[in-house]
């Protein structure tokens, strides 16, 4: 899935809702429990699925006054289970034939024989993360004519024809959004894939507030029919209310987190005289980079709910969604900062690392995983990380009912040979025994959740 769509396929969460009980004898209700945001839940403030527009070391400055917002707002957490009837309703809207069957923790409607046709997978646990895909079979598939070049098994044939209009894409997505109760979602239909498929990205409204990072994505082919999609079946349930701060205060907190210490100096160059033992050598010039923080303009702020990990599970947290001006010709970026008052945020617990098995001789420690993506079947999990040009990398997965831990190990190609220090982006793929569904993907070396690309 492309980033804009895949970013909407967030990991399924679970757990209950905290209830604030009034003390005996009346009086004000008890304060909500401290909100514990996980490691990357409230750092530099970049919204899920979007890159940092600056690359770090940033100062955000408001261009005009910012709104105050409400005095309090609730956290929303997934709860409940997805029923067979709900899956069947979504399948009908997508045009997927067949009856849903529960396999482990995932509802499935999949074609038989060679696997060609339409497929729908839905996590049985709330929020019911779902993926929809269309496959045209492989070399032995029913859809492959003899004497014709055929795609590998499980790979969809590229569609032909140009993309449908934005209006036609919205019309094709409307039954799907209605089936999952997201008729009022904010739609973006500007994205086109491969020049043929138009993508409808829908951000639902939850509790009367706009959301970010909880999107539904629907790919519409040249024939006006959905060819792929992903999203959530159930909106998270309303939980306890927390005091929140205004946009101006949130922007101050964002700047504290994004700028970081040590961003001083303005750079420049200096010339050193030749060394005493080499009087004829030319003077040496050294330059220091300009390390002043980059300034970006904030052109607007909207109070809403942003997807974050709370105690290891997905939730929608009251947040400010800042619109940040990008470079000329580029679309503005959305930067998120939690709106929950800092005194109601629990100290962030350090993740408990998964024990690392003794490496083989010549194998380096595990690499930190930056992001992951999943194919349409939900079984091919690809992880991306930074590596070097002189090593080989291997990814392995450890599966459980609620999560999938991925570990990347490094083995030098030639340990006795000097290697140039060049960082390259590396992707490795592992095959899961069961579709990912709503399970959380974590870095097995650190225990931290891995963001979806």
């Amino acid at each position: 899935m492309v980033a804009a769509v895949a970013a909407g396929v967030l990991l399924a969460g679970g757990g209950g809702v905290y209830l604030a009980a009034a003390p005996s004898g009346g009086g004000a209700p008890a304060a909500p429990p401290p909100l514990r945001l996980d490691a990357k839940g409230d750092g530099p403030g970049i919204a899920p699925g979007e890159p940092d527009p600056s690359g770090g070391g940033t100062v955000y400055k408001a261009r005009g006054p910012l709104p105050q917002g409400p005095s309090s707002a609730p956290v929303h957490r997934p709860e409940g289970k997805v029923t067979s009837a709900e899956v069947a309703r979504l399948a009908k809207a997508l045009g997927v034939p067949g009856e849903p069957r529960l396999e482990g923790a995932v509802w499935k409607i999949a074609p038989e024989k060679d696997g060609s046709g339409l497929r729908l997978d839905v996590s049985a646990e709330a929020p019911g993360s779902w993926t929809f895909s269309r496959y045209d079979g492989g070399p032995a598939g029913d859809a492959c004519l003899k004497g014709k070049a055929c795609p590998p098994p499980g790979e969809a044939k590229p569609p032909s024809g140009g993309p449908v209009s934005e209006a036609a894409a919205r019309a094709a997505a409307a039954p799907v959004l209605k089936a999952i109760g997201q008729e009022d979602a904010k739609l973006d239909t500007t994205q086109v894939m491969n020049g043929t498929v138009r993508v409808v990205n829908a951000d639902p409204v939850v509790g009367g507030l706009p959301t970010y990072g909880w999107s539904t994505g629907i790919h519409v082919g040249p024939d006006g029919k959905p060819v792929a999609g992903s999203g959530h079946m159930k909106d998270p349930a309303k939980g306890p209310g927390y005091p929140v701060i205004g946009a101006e205060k949130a922007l101050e907190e964002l700047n504290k987190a994004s700028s970081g210490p040590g961003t001083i100096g303005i750079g420049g160059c200096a010339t050193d005289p030749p060394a005493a033992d080499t009087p004829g050598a030319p003077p040496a010039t050294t330059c220091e980079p300009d390390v002043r923080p980059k300034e970006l303009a904030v052109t607007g702020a909207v109070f809403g709910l942003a997807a974050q990990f709370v105690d290891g599970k997905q939730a929608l947290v009251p947040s400010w969604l800042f619109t940040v001006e990008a470079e000329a010709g580029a679309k503005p970026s959305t930067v998120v900062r939690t709106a929950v008052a800092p005194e109601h945020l629990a100290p962030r617990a350090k993740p408990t690392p998964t024990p690392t098995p003794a490496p083989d001789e010549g194998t380096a420690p595990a690499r930190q995983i930056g992001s992951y993506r999943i194919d349409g079947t939900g079984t091919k999990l690809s992880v991306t990380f930074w590596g070097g040009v002189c090593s080989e990398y291997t990814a392995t997965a450890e599966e459980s009912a609620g999560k999938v831990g991925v570990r990347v190990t490094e083995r030098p190609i030639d340990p006795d040979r000097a290697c140039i220090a060049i960082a390259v982006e590396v992707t490795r793929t592992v095959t899961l025994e069961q579709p990912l569904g709503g399970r959380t993907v974590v870095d097995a070396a650190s225990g931290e959740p891995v963001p979806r690309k």
Side-chain angles (χ1 to χ4, degrees), residues 3 35 61 91 127 164 215 236 250 259 264 287 324 340 346 368 395 404 426 430 435:
L35 192 67
K61 289 193 174 182
V164 298
S215 301
S259 297
I264 58 175
C287 297
V324 177
V340 176
Q368 182 179 3
V404 174
V426 183
V430 294

Side-chain angles (χ1 to χ4, degrees), residues 65-272:
L66 296 175
Q68 178 60 34
S71 59
S72 65
V75 172
H76 290 68
R77 298 174 185 251
E79 65 175 11
K81 294 183 179 294
V82 176
T83 66
S84 174
E86 290 172 325
V87 177
R89 184 168 62 246
L90 175 59
K92 182 179 179 180
L94 291 167
V96 181
E99 296 296 325
R101 64 182 187 276
L102 186 61
E103 295 185 8
V106 179
W107 289 101
K108 293 185 179 182
I109 305 180
E112 299 179 356
K113 296 182 179 179
D114 62 352
S116 62
L118 305 179
R119 178 184 179 120
L120 176 64
D121 294 271
V122 183
S123 173
E125 295 288 338
S129 301
W130 59 271
T131 57
F132 162 67
S133 55
R134 175 181 292 179
Y135 292 90
D136 292 331
D142 299 336
C144 183
L145 301 177
K146 291 183 178 180
K148 299 287 185 179
C150 299
E155 182 177 311
K157 293 180 180 178
S160 59
V164 298
S165 66
E166 293 189 41
R170 287 193 293 268
V176 180
L177 296 175
K178 183 177 180 180
I180 58 178
Q182 295 184 10
E183 301 98 318
D184 57 353
K186 178 183 177 182
L187 303 184
D188 181 353
T189 55
T190 58
Q191 183 184 6
V192 174
M193 291 177 51
N194 302 323
T196 59
V197 176
R198 188 171 293 278
V199 181
V200 178
N201 291 305
D203 291 310
V205 175
V206 175
L209 295 174
T211 61
Y212 201 96
W214 205 262
S215 301
T216 293
I218 303 170
H219 296 210
V220 180
D223 59 356
K225 297 180 180 179
V227 296
S230 57
H232 303 291
M233 290 286 293
K234 290 180 175 291
D235 288 338
K238 181 179 178 180
Y242 285 84
V244 295
I245 58 178
E248 185 174 346
K249 176 65 175 177
L251 190 63
E252 292 179 7
E253 297 293 326
L254 175 61
N255 280 325
K256 291 178 183 178
S258 61
S259 297
T263 52
I264 58 175
I266 58 174
C269 299
T271 301
D272 299 324

Side-chain angles (χ1 to χ4, degrees), residues 374-391:
I374 195 77
D375 75 338
T377 66
T379 58
K380 298 291 185 181
L381 179 67
S382 299
V383 293
T384 300
F385 52 94
W386 289 102
V389 296
C390 300
S391 297

Side-chain angles (χ1 to χ4, degrees), residues 269-286:
C269 299
T271 301
D272 299 324
D277 56 347
T278 56
T285 301
T286 57

